[in-house]
Amino acid sequence: MSRPHRLHHRHAAMSWAPPLLLALLLGACGREPVPDELPGAASEPAGAVRLLAEHVRRNDLQAFARDALPAEEHARLAEAWAEGRSRWPLTELPLDEQVGPMLAALSVPGSEQELRQAFDRQLAGQDAALRDAARSLALFGTQYIRTQGDYSDEERAHYVQVVAALSAWSTTAPLGSRDRGHAAIDRLAAAARATGLPGDEALAAAGMEESLRRLGPFAAALKEVLADYGLDLDQSLADLRTGLVEEDGDHAKVRVHYPLAGAEIDTTVSLTRRNGRWYLTDYLEHAASLLAEPAGAPATGAPALPGLPAPPPAQPPDGPAAGR
């Protein structure tokens, strides 16, 4: 079943601000400091969450897909990928369903020059405007997540806090830096070409497993770009801790805590046991929704955060865009 309340305008920003886009798609939440090890850290449900986080830290997207869902759902989603009906598991990660258009834009020969020019027109030197846009997005995003969209209660609590955390990060991140922007474009364009996946048709032809294998280094490059902007996701994942809140039969709730963008992330996630293994309940529900969609439906996935606002207006030649 399609998701009528999802926003699709964020793809308009893909070509000019991939670092900011990736950051704004990430989920995180929380404030409270916690001890070095959470109660119930050795439990199977808590370990299942850490395992997925470690796969992401290692950029092993194939392993993430293997352990995120039972084998039957995994196989059916691989078929849906080849048919263009799904881009799972990218829809559970910062690499969302717009990865095809982003790869296409970055992979074009000579794309760096055009993207640099677009960055200079739209973003270079526009730190104040970008911070204002981030604050506006935080207000809009919070209201949207609380009242709209197809989110679980845990996702709503999670995403409201991530918008606040990343909005705070954006007030100090050098998003308008011309040097950093150009370096990010060069790095991402090279990484996109190295995948050999210049768009959705190539992703479908390669299949889910092979696409995920090739996208691992691209995910690493994206994280390196974000680290250059002061958002070290690998450190966040390395410091992630989990603990068992409760376990009742085939259902469990796990506390997840890690640092992100200067905030202490603290949230809970629900898990369900299938055939002796634990899986995130939201992932199971997202998969069920995807697999229930009719053949020919466009690729969809987990509910995403709202899209970016429009870029700030271009400055005249003698305006701020002329500087760094």
Side-chain angles (χ1 to χ4, degrees):
M1 181 171 60
S2 62
R3 302 177 185 275
H5 296 297
R6 293 190 64 196
L7 298 186
H8 296 283
H9 64 278
R10 68 184 183 279
H11 70 274
M14 297 296 293
S15 63
W16 53 265
L20 180 59
L21 174 65
L22 179 65
L24 291 169
L25 290 173
L26 281 173
C29 62
R31 297 182 179 87
E32 298 179 2
V34 296
D36 290 338
E37 185 170 287
L38 299 179
S43 68
E44 290 184 3
V49 176
R50 290 197 304 275
L51 178 64
L52 294 178
E54 180 62 13
H55 291 329
V56 177
R57 189 185 70 82
R58 293 168 58 87
N59 307 305
D60 192 342
L61 305 185
Q62 287 176 293
F64 178 91
R66 180 194 66 222
D67 291 328
L69 285 178
E72 180 181 355
E73 283 93 332
H74 181 282
R76 292 177 63 194
L77 285 170
E79 294 177 3
W81 177 296
E83 296 167 358
R85 295 188 292 111
S86 166
R87 284 295 175 261
W88 184 92
L90 303 184
T91 45
E92 304 289 5
L93 298 165
L95 295 167
D96 84 329
E97 71 212 42
Q98 293 298 332
V99 68
M102 180 168 65
L103 289 170
L106 289 167
S107 296
V108 172
S111 65
E112 291 91 337
Q113 181 176 357
E114 181 178 351
L115 293 173
R116 283 178 173 185
Q117 292 171 350
F119 181 93
D120 290 347
R121 288 194 305 269
Q122 303 284 3
L123 297 175
Q126 297 292 312
D127 294 86
L130 286 166
R131 288 165 186 161
D132 287 343
R135 281 191 288 269
S136 297
L137 176 61
L139 293 172
F140 164 73
T142 298
Q143 182 64 20
Y144 178 86
I145 293 163
R146 283 176 174 165
T147 62
Q148 305 291 329
D150 189 8
Y151 302 106
S152 69
D153 290 343
E154 286 177 347
E155 286 170 331
R156 289 187 193 279
H158 183 174
Y159 287 159
V160 163
Q161 294 179 67
V162 64
V163 169
L166 293 175
S167 176
W169 162 77
S170 72
T171 63
T172 58
L175 302 176
S177 167
R178 185 172 181 270
D179 289 343
R180 278 187 171 86
H182 286 196
I185 288 166
D186 292 349
R187 183 179 294 174
L188 294 177
R193 293 192 191 104
T195 68
L197 299 169
D200 277 319
E201 290 186 4
L203 288 166
M208 186 174 78
E209 289 294 324
E210 178 62 14
S211 292
L212 294 178
R213 184 188 69 79
R214 298 192 206 176
L215 285 171
F218 183 73
L222 282 168
K223 289 194 290 185
E224 289 169 1
V225 165
L226 284 173
D228 192 45
Y229 281 82
L231 191 64
D232 191 339
L233 302 182
D234 280 338
Q235 189 62 54
S236 297
L237 291 164
D239 289 344
L240 181 140
R241 287 162 283 171
T242 62
L244 185 66
V245 176
E246 61 182 17
E247 182 177 342
D248 183 9
D250 290 334
H251 301 279
K253 191 176 291 291
V254 167
R255 184 183 179 189
V256 181
H257 185 100
Y258 60 97
L260 179 72
E264 289 297 320
I265 311 314
D266 200 283
T267 189
T268 59
V269 295
S270 295
L271 288 89
T272 301
R273 183 159 48 193
R274 292 266 192 92
N275 298 321
R277 296 192 62 179
W278 290 95
Y279 303 95
L280 288 173
T281 303
D282 279 338
Y283 287 7
L284 293 170
E285 292 177 352
H286 297 162
S289 179
L290 278 168
L291 294 171
E293 293 179 353
T300 60
L305 293 175
L308 291 172
Q315 296 290 319
D318 57 348
R324 293 190 179 182

